[in-house]
Amino acid sequence: MTNHQFLRKVLRYQKTYGAKATIKRSINEIFNRMRRSIGHSHPYHTLFDRDALLVRIEHPNIRLVIFDIFDTLITRPLLDPENTKHWIARRINCDRYSEQRHTAEMSLREAGSADVSLAHICTEYVRLFGTAEGDAQQLQFIEESIELALAQPLPGMIEVLKMAQQAGKKVVLASDMFLSSDVIKKLLQKCNILEYDALYLSSEVGVRKSTGELFRHIAENEKILPEQAIMIGDHPVSDQQIPQQLGFQIAVLESPLALSAYFPRLSTWIEKVKSAGPTADELVLGNIVRTFFQVQPRQFLLDRASLTQCGRYGIGYAIVGPLLAAFSEWLIDQAHADNIDRLYFLAREGQLMKDIHEVLTSGYNIPQSNYLVLSRRAISVAMIRSHEDILAIARTDYQANSLSEFLLRRFGLTLDHATLTALEKRGIWSRKRLVEIHAGQIDDALLAVLETLSDAIHRRAAMEREPMLSYLQQIKLTEGVAALVDVGYAGTIQGRLCDLLERKIQGYYMVTRAAAAEVRTRHGVRIAGCFGEDLATPDQSPLLRYNVPLEMFMGSDDPQISHYRYQDNHAVVGVYNPLSEAEKASIPLRSELRAGALSFARDYRSMKDSGLGKLRIDPHLAVDIFRDFWEGTSEFERAQIMSIATDDYYCGMGIVHFATFLPH
């Protein structure tokens, strides 16, 4: 965005929302421009070199590869490894469980036990604190079930394990762990780690990695010399310092959580959420950390100036996924409360919204999800029945563009040379004059044009109305209790559907503007906003303030629907605006965003189904992370999204890119 564009934007904002709101927004804009200007790429080079490790593993002198388990092959998506006990405390409703369990474990260790098992710890817990939280077997079962629920794979390192096996090396797993081998095997199986040669657990062998004795036991049992084995693990002492002192080769690996501490923008969020206790938000951040900082199957730049990593996939995973998952959770409650039969996700942003909603709700007793291929252009022209309808369509803001483009995009009219010449001769319109509409103000010249072309517009509306009605009947929008689902703002399409169908259609949105109240009152329908409702100014929500980038993050690869028509056999077909070359070039880029968002949804659904209790993402967290990302986009993050394009012909902007909304 150039300085001239910035000034023009400020003046338009002042005209609509007043001086006070404009001053506040201008200060924020200047601050964000400064913040972005210092967001230069700051690469972070990890200590772990995957390719170099594979070369070392393949060396003929190496006979054995030892893998640590936790935070190497599998992880718990928590912001502190000790938080597992907080999740157990949540399950048994005992705030002091973590502290008391630690006391029980230390009691056993001080009594001289070489190492302890979970069964021993739970027995000691009951001896010290009684059975208020259950007997020893119950406590053991609950703790094991929570461990199983939290376990998530680290695919990058699992791939290294498989490559070691393919190289003909013997692979064993070793862990200082109180869980039994039966439970550990279940965790490994859940994470698709099915093949390994042996499993060494301190709780069963009786000695630990942290003392070096477990490594000596492995070398003796596997009949190898220390230098013939390589140890791969994240703990700087147990997995690196001690085995190296014993003569084992090591691979210096950092756990995802340890790595995240080097990235200030993300670590700020980790610290905020970590103190809140066991919540869905911890799992959201924990899975983001796991995704960003695990060993990757291909090399990614880790950039310290960025909030996100892993390119466009990471932006989809951390920014888009949590936002749409939080919206889906809210949507379920609203639809049940209103006894909705069918939800209609509006094209084109609704495609990803629907996909994520279905990932999170598959198998539940919820209203049927449908994809509604509609646009403001398609529904608006079809519902025209009066001249006031024409003016209502024209009043929507429109960037300076030609009259022919305006009439085509708003009303489906092609302005031929003869008509334009006639308008000029009558002094109604100059050929060089541009159409520009702001805050619903239509100048006298455009009013005269619309009056002159009123009959042509009505003929066009009549031609499009019946095919539109046929399409809406085919998708059963005329039956039962139906609700529209969309990004939001003023409920325009919802209101026009109510007008056209002469029935109530409810509406659920991410955010709505104050103008939605008029549609709600006129039709007696619900127009509800998840992240903000009836907002007076865009600055009341970053989703409204940055609404175009928000829509672009959720955009579909499909072309925009223009209108519906009948074929010769009376079948209804859609007529679409052709994709531009810029939009076609954006398809593979947008697919990475979408893949990340869907991957987050699948991971979150796995957490919700795992027996951790009711989980719900805090909507404020999802919105605030979106705000932090957009207002502080680093140089690296801007490079990922700047060239993604979409069309906004309806508002006169033509093809727009993310770059349009970012400062140079």
Side-chain angles (χ1 to χ4, degrees):
M1 185 184 297
T2 65
N3 289 331
H4 175 73
Q5 290 172 321
F6 176 65
L7 179 60
R8 183 181 177 88
K9 182 179 178 182
V10 169
L11 293 174
R12 287 170 64 92
Y13 194 84
Q14 180 177 355
K15 186 176 179 181
T16 305
Y17 300 108
K20 185 176 180 180
T22 304
I23 291 171
K24 179 181 177 181
R25 179 163 190 172
S26 298
I27 292 172
N28 286 337
E29 289 276 9
I30 292 168
F31 173 77
N32 291 334
R33 285 161 67 93
M34 292 173 61
R35 184 181 177 192
R36 285 169 169 148
S37 71
I38 61 175
H40 297 301
S41 178
H42 186 175
Y44 177 83
H45 300 286
T46 62
L47 299 175
F48 182 79
D49 187 329
R50 177 178 179 271
D51 293 336
L53 173 60
L54 292 174
V55 171
R56 292 171 62 198
I57 288 174
E58 291 171 357
H59 195 281
N61 290 345
I62 295 297
R63 294 174 51 197
L64 181 70
V65 183
I66 309 169
F67 284 88
D68 173 46
I69 298 176
F70 288 92
D71 291 322
T72 299
L73 294 172
I74 65 178
T75 190
R76 312 169 184 96
L78 304 178
L79 303 180
D80 185 321
E82 291 300 310
N83 281 4
T84 304
K85 299 177 182 64
H86 295 306
W87 283 90
I88 299 166
R90 181 180 190 244
R91 169 77 73 84
I92 64 177
N93 196 28
C94 175
D95 293 339
R96 298 190 61 194
Y97 178 77
S98 179
E99 175 188 340
Q100 292 177 172
R101 186 197 180 284
H102 177 75
T103 300
E105 184 173 348
M106 289 302 101
S107 172
L108 291 173
R109 295 193 186 282
E110 289 168 3
S113 299
D115 204 12
V116 296
S117 68
L118 181 58
H120 294 143
I121 294 170
C122 292
T123 299
E124 182 69 1
Y125 183 98
V126 169
R127 187 184 73 81
L128 293 174
F129 304 108
T131 59
E133 288 79 45
D135 61 29
Q137 285 186 327
Q138 288 175 313
L139 289 175
Q140 181 179 345
F141 173 79
I142 290 170
E143 186 151 344
E144 289 172 348
S145 66
I146 293 293
E147 289 281 3
L148 185 60
L150 289 170
Q152 294 288 301
L154 293 171
M157 191 53 74
I158 294 172
E159 183 66 22
V160 172
L161 182 150
K162 292 178 180 178
M163 295 178 79
Q165 292 172 325
Q166 291 168 4
K169 309 300 179 178
K170 194 170 187 180
V171 170
V172 301
L173 313 183
S175 181
D176 285 347
M177 174 48 61
F178 50 81
L179 295 172
S180 69
S181 59
D182 287 343
V183 175
I184 292 294
K185 287 175 182 177
K186 289 179 182 178
L187 299 180
L188 294 168
Q189 186 175 16
K190 176 188 176 183
C191 296
N192 201 32
I193 303 170
L194 307 176
E195 296 182 8
Y196 44 89
D197 293 291
L199 177 62
Y200 293 93
L201 300 177
S202 63
S203 60
E204 297 193 350
V205 177
V207 292
R208 297 173 61 82
K209 290 189 298 181
S210 59
T211 65
E213 292 303 316
L214 186 56
F215 290 110
R216 293 188 179 95
H217 174 83
I218 292 172
E220 181 179 349
N221 203 54
E222 298 294 337
K223 297 180 174 55
I224 55 105
L225 298 173
E227 59 267 25
Q228 294 175 313
I230 185 166
M231 173 65 202
I232 304 173
D234 70 290
H235 198 284
V237 177
S238 299
D239 297 325
Q240 296 166 24
Q241 179 182 331
I242 288 176
Q244 188 173 43
Q245 290 173 347
L246 294 173
F248 289 77
Q249 295 193 44
I250 64 165
V252 179
L253 176 68
E254 296 163 285
S255 73
L257 189 59
L259 259 177
S260 70
Y262 298 108
F263 297 81
R265 291 181 64 194
L266 184 60
S267 61
T268 298
W269 284 106
I270 290 171
E271 291 305 313
K272 285 181 182 178
V273 172
K274 184 165 63 174
S275 61
T279 64
D281 297 343
E282 179 180 28
L283 302 179
V284 169
L285 266 294
N287 271 307
I288 289 171
V289 167
R290 176 179 69 93
T291 298
F292 286 176
F293 301 115
Q294 65 167 304
V295 174
Q296 301 291 345
R298 60 189 176 93
Q299 291 300 312
F300 281 102
L301 169 71
L302 292 178
D303 180 51
R304 292 195 65 203
S306 297
L307 176 62
T308 63
Q309 310 296 329
C310 302
R312 286 172 287 272
Y313 177 91
I315 294 171
Y317 193 98
I319 308 303
V320 183
L323 197 64
L324 294 184
F327 176 71
S328 175
E329 290 177 326
W330 172 86
L331 179 61
I332 293 170
D333 290 345
Q334 302 302 310
H336 277 309
D338 294 337
N339 296 313
I340 299 299
D341 297 315
R342 294 184 182 86
L343 295 171
Y344 289 86
F345 291 81
L346 183 62
R348 292 174 288 176
E349 293 76 22
Q351 188 176 80
L352 182 58
M353 297 169 78
K354 176 177 178 288
D355 289 345
I356 285 183
H357 182 69
E358 290 179 343
V359 167
L360 295 175
T361 60
S362 175
Y364 293 173
N365 181 24
I366 60 165
Q368 179 185 340
S369 297
N370 301 270
Y371 187 51
L372 178 60
V373 182
L374 212 57
S375 65
R376 281 184 292 180
R377 153 68 183 88
I379 186 62
S380 296
V381 174
M383 56 73 63
I384 292 174
R385 288 191 172 94
S386 69
H387 192 67
E388 181 53 42
D389 291 336
I390 294 174
L391 297 181
I393 294 169
R395 288 191 187 102
T396 300
D397 283 7
Y398 191 79
Q399 301 289 325
N401 214 318
S402 68
L403 178 63
S404 59
E405 181 71 6
F406 174 78
L407 292 173
L408 176 65
R409 303 304 180 181
R410 287 291 169 92
F411 301 102
L413 290 188
T414 300
L415 185 64
D416 57 37
H417 178 75
T419 303
L420 182 56
T421 300
L423 291 172
E424 280 190 306
K425 286 182 177 179
R426 293 173 58 186
I428 294 175
W429 195 266
S430 166
R431 192 177 297 268
K432 294 182 179 180
R433 184 184 183 122
L434 298 179
V435 176
E436 185 171 15
I437 299 169
H438 181 64
Q441 301 300 310
I442 307 174
D443 61 33
D444 291 341
L446 185 57
L447 285 172
V449 169
L450 296 175
E451 179 67 35
T452 302
L453 299 178
S454 179
D455 288 345
I457 293 173
H458 279 286
R459 287 194 296 273
R460 181 76 197 188
M463 183 183 75
E464 294 186 14
R465 187 175 301 120
E466 288 304 318
M468 171 63 72
L469 286 169
S470 294
Y471 167 70
L472 297 177
Q473 289 166 357
Q474 284 179 12
I475 61 171
K476 300 183 179 180
L477 191 58
T478 55
E479 302 175 14
V481 183
L484 193 65
V485 182
D486 192 18
V487 181
Y489 316 125
T492 303
I493 291 179
Q494 181 184 351
R496 287 174 180 165
L497 280 170
C498 292
D499 285 331
L500 182 64
L501 298 176
E502 297 180 340
R503 71 189 304 263
K504 293 182 179 181
I505 305 293
Q506 311 305 324
Y508 303 125
Y509 303 96
M510 296 180 77
V511 63
T512 66
R513 291 171 41 217
E518 187 275 330
V519 178
R520 182 188 299 116
T521 301
R522 180 157 54 92
H523 293 286
V525 294
R526 281 208 70 194
I527 300 182
C530 172
F531 303 109
E533 189 171 308
D534 293 354
L535 303 183
T537 68
D539 286 318
Q540 290 180 272
S541 170
L543 302 188
L544 197 55
R545 180 173 178 179
Y546 308 120
N547 63 306
V548 178
L550 172 66
E551 293 176 24
M552 292 180 71
F553 277 129
M554 298 160 52
S556 163
D557 297 332
D558 298 338
Q560 181 71 281
I561 183 75
S562 171
H563 59 280
Y564 286 92
R565 67 175 180 84
Y566 286 128
Q567 291 182 309
D568 292 341
N569 62 358
H570 298 291
V572 177
V573 294
V575 178
Y576 297 85
N577 298 325
L579 289 176
S580 67
E581 292 304 313
E583 290 173 287
K584 292 176 183 177
S586 299
I587 289 174
L589 311 183
R590 192 179 286 111
S591 70
E592 294 178 40
L593 284 170
R594 189 161 49 244
L598 286 167
S599 183
F600 172 84
R602 286 189 287 269
D603 288 343
Y604 184 53
R605 173 65 189 266
S606 174
M607 295 281 95
K608 289 173 77 76
D609 289 347
S610 62
L612 292 170
K614 186 175 182 180
L615 300 176
R616 187 157 191 146
I617 298 171
D618 180 1
H620 296 97
L621 175 76
V623 172
D624 287 344
I625 290 178
F626 170 82
R627 181 206 295 268
D628 185 22
F629 171 79
W630 186 253
E631 292 184 347
T633 45
S634 68
E635 181 181 38
F636 175 73
E637 289 166 328
R638 291 199 296 270
Q640 301 301 309
I641 60 176
M642 284 184 74
S643 60
I644 296 177
T646 191
D647 72 85
D648 193 4
Y649 296 115
Y650 195 79
C651 292
M653 297 178 69
I655 300 300
V656 295
H657 298 75
F658 268 113
T660 308
F661 307 96
L662 287 168
H664 293 300

